[in-house]
């Protein structure tokens, strides 16, 4: 039963003053705000960011601010639902676009939040994660899980830009966010595990029982070429609604990071793709193609390299125009699964 709850204004002024005087407050005027009926009320507002609009400002940051003065030269995306300066695109997800110029390095550090990069443009960038040198090619997903050392470098000729996704808002909220700085890492002289141990899906080296346990994050780089190939093959047999593949830990099958999920999507051209409404919030990064997404009744146009956000339980319809489109969805499904409340509802 939806009863009408009392308001603050109904209470006598002296009572209200007495409460704030001893640092307490009544729950009932705020009860529905913190526990709305049946479904959450998102703060996040769906939004589309045009890469073409951000790119020139990011390149200008390359002239205005040397990397030494920035540590990470990043323009981050601000959720319009939270207002100017909010360092988040949803409750849990931070997204930034980072620029590294030829010859520059972004110093090594380790932090409690986890990060992943999706390479947007430029050749020759690399990230060193716990001693593995991970080449960065367009569309690659590169993990830097919390607690892993990482620095970035660039041995190419043109600016390199990538998208950073972090669970920073969550760690900040938990009062658990901090970083430790260190010297640049000397990378191992071998290709990274995606090229050595984990060449093919479904194959992994046998566990060794005579050695310390394997790295909890054995594969840090997911080359886009393989992902696109896998999606194209899967889509032929996946029926309508496009194809989706989750990025997983090849040793355990678990999501590739503890709180953030990454899902590669193929949207077949001309087809309306209507996923169920999900309790997770999402950020879509367009790898290729163009089209639009209708999110809670509002149309957001997109093309390659753009970013679109959607709040929890959004009703979404994607449509790729004139060619198949590829996206990577960044979401907080893994966190919600761990908390025991991840949910999908019919549209
Ligand atoms: O590259 O390590 O966008 O630590 C924000 C925080 C990137 C990074 C960000 C970071 C990084």
């Amino acid at each position: 039963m939806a009863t009408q709850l009392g308001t603050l204004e109904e209470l006598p002024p002296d009572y209200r003053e007495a409460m704030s005087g001893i640092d307490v407050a009544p729950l009932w005027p705020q009860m529905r705000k913190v526990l709305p009926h049946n479904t959450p009320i998102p703060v996040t507002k769906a939004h589309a960011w045009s890469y073409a609009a951000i790119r020139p400002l990011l390149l200008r940051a390359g002239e205005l601010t040397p990397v030494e003065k920035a540590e990470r030269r990043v323009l981050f995306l601000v959720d319009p639902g939270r207002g100017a300066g909010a360092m988040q695109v949803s409750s849990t997800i931070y997204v930034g676009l980072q620029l590294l110029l030829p010859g520059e390095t972004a110093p090594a550090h380790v932090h409690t939040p986890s990060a992943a990069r999706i390479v947007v443009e430029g050749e020759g960038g690399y990230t060193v994660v716990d001693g593995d040198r991970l080449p960065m090619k367009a569309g690659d997903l590169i993990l830097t899980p919390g607690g892993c050392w990482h620095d970035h470098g660039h041995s190419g000729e043109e600016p390199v830009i990538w998208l950073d996704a972090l669970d920073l808002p969550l760690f900040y909220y938990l009062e658990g966010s901090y970083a430790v700085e260190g010297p640049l890492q000397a990378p191992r002289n071998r290709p990274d595990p995606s090229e050595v141990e984990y060449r093919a899906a479904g194959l992994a080296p046998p566990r060794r029982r005579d050695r310390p346990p394997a790295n909890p994050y054995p594969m840090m780089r997911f080359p886009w070429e393989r992902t696109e190939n896998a999606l194209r093959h899967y889509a032929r047999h996946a029926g309508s609604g496009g194809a989706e593949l989750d990025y997983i830990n090849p040793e355990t099958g678990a999501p590739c990071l503890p709180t953030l999920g990454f899902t590669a999507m193929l949207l077949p051209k001309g087809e309306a793709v209507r996923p169920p409404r999900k309790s997770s919030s999402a950020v879509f990064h367009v790898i290729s193609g163009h089209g639009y997404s209708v999110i809670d009744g509002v149309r957001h146009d997109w093309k390659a390299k753009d970013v679109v956000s959607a709040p929890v339980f959004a009703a979404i319809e994607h449509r790729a125009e004139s060619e198949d489109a590829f996206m990577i969805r960044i979401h907080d499904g893994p966190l919600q699964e761990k908390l025991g409340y991840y949910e999908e509802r019919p549209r």
Side-chain angles (χ1 to χ4, degrees), residues 72 74 94 96 98 109 111 117 150 152 164 166:
R72 299 292 190 261
V74 174
Y94 159 101
Q98 181 163 174
H109 68 186
H111 40 68
R117 336 274 160 197
H150 55 285
H152 310 297
D164 293 311
L166 282 84

Side-chain angles (χ1 to χ4, degrees), residues 2-347:
T3 47
Q4 195 57 47
L5 300 178
T7 66
L8 199 57
E9 291 67 37
E10 284 166 12
L11 298 167
D14 71 302
Y15 181 74
R16 287 159 62 181
E17 239 165 72
M19 281 189 296
S20 32
I22 60 163
D23 300 299
V24 298
L27 173 61
W28 58 96
Q30 304 206 66
M31 187 74 183
R32 298 281 185 259
K33 182 181 164 206
V34 293
L35 285 171
H37 286 141
N38 307 321
T39 197
I41 301 169
V43 177
T44 306
K45 195 172 181 306
H47 191 67
W49 286 265
S50 150
Y51 184 67
I54 299 172
R55 187 177 187 274
L57 293 190
L58 188 55
L59 290 174
R60 230 178 120 197
E63 296 161 19
L64 295 170
T65 307
V67 74
E68 294 76 20
K69 286 212 143 194
E71 215 167 284
R72 299 292 190 261
R73 195 192 285 111
V74 174
L75 296 181
F76 62 81
L77 309 189
V78 177
D79 169 23
R82 291 183 160 81
M87 208 186 276
Q88 56 200 112
V89 287
S90 80
S91 60
T92 53
I93 307 172
Y94 159 101
V95 171
L97 288 167
Q98 181 163 174
L99 169 71
L100 206 57
L101 296 171
E104 289 185 334
T105 51
H109 68 186
V110 58
H111 40 68
T112 47
S114 286
R117 336 274 160 197
I118 301 170
V119 183
V120 181
E121 67 166 281
E123 298 264 313
Y126 60 87
T127 293
V128 185
V129 186
D130 278 351
D132 280 318
R133 189 185 194 275
L134 310 174
M136 300 175 98
K137 288 180 67 178
D140 290 358
L141 181 78
I142 310 257
L143 306 183
T144 53
C148 296
W149 285 95
H150 55 285
D151 54 69
H152 310 297
H154 187 358
S155 51
E157 311 286 323
E158 299 295 325
V160 159
I161 297 174
W162 64 79
L163 179 149
D164 293 311
L166 282 84
D167 52 12
L168 185 61
L170 175 67
F171 277 72
Y172 188 73
Y173 173 76
L174 294 170
E175 301 182 6
S177 189
Y178 70 95
V180 176
E181 291 182 23
L184 285 184
Q185 304 166 81
R188 276 178 210 108
N189 186 21
R190 65 160 216 172
D192 73 271
S194 74
E195 302 291 352
V196 180
E197 288 94 338
Y198 306 105
R199 292 286 313 191
L203 294 175
R207 305 296 103 68
R208 293 285 299 255
R209 303 300 167 94
D210 57 345
R211 286 188 193 163
N215 186 339
Y217 301 100
M219 182 162 146
M220 304 277 200
R221 172 173 175 256
F222 297 77
W224 175 253
E225 194 186 345
R226 278 186 220 172
T227 310
E228 182 174 328
N229 249 316
L231 278 172
R232 283 192 192 280
H233 281 87
Y234 179 36
R236 274 181 220 146
H237 301 280
S240 65
E244 296 198 344
L245 290 169
D246 289 333
Y247 290 87
I248 58 170
N249 178 322
E251 291 280 351
T252 64
C256 65
L257 288 177
T259 72
L260 292 180
F262 295 84
T263 302
M265 304 164 59
L266 184 160
L267 303 170
K269 76 170 174 206
E271 193 184 313
V273 173
R274 294 191 194 89
R277 299 188 307 127
K278 298 171 177 160
S279 57
S280 48
S281 60
V283 178
F284 302 90
H285 173 63
V286 185
I287 300 285
S288 64
H290 64 97
Y292 61 87
S293 301
V294 181
I295 305 176
D296 291 329
V298 179
R299 175 175 161 150
H300 303 271
D301 291 292
W302 44 258
K303 56 184 181 311
K305 305 182 193 304
D306 290 350
V307 180
V308 181
S309 68
V312 299
F313 288 112
I316 301 176
E317 178 183 311
H318 299 294
R319 195 186 287 265
E321 298 170 307
S322 76
E323 57 181 327
D324 292 351
F326 292 88
M327 292 181 167
I328 297 177
R329 179 169 81 253
I330 305 161
H331 56 92
D332 49 11
L335 172 70
Q336 297 188 354
E337 293 273 15
K338 288 194 173 79
L339 295 176
Y341 79 96
Y342 177 72
E343 193 191 338
E344 296 184 356
R345 297 185 188 173
R347 294 165 43 91

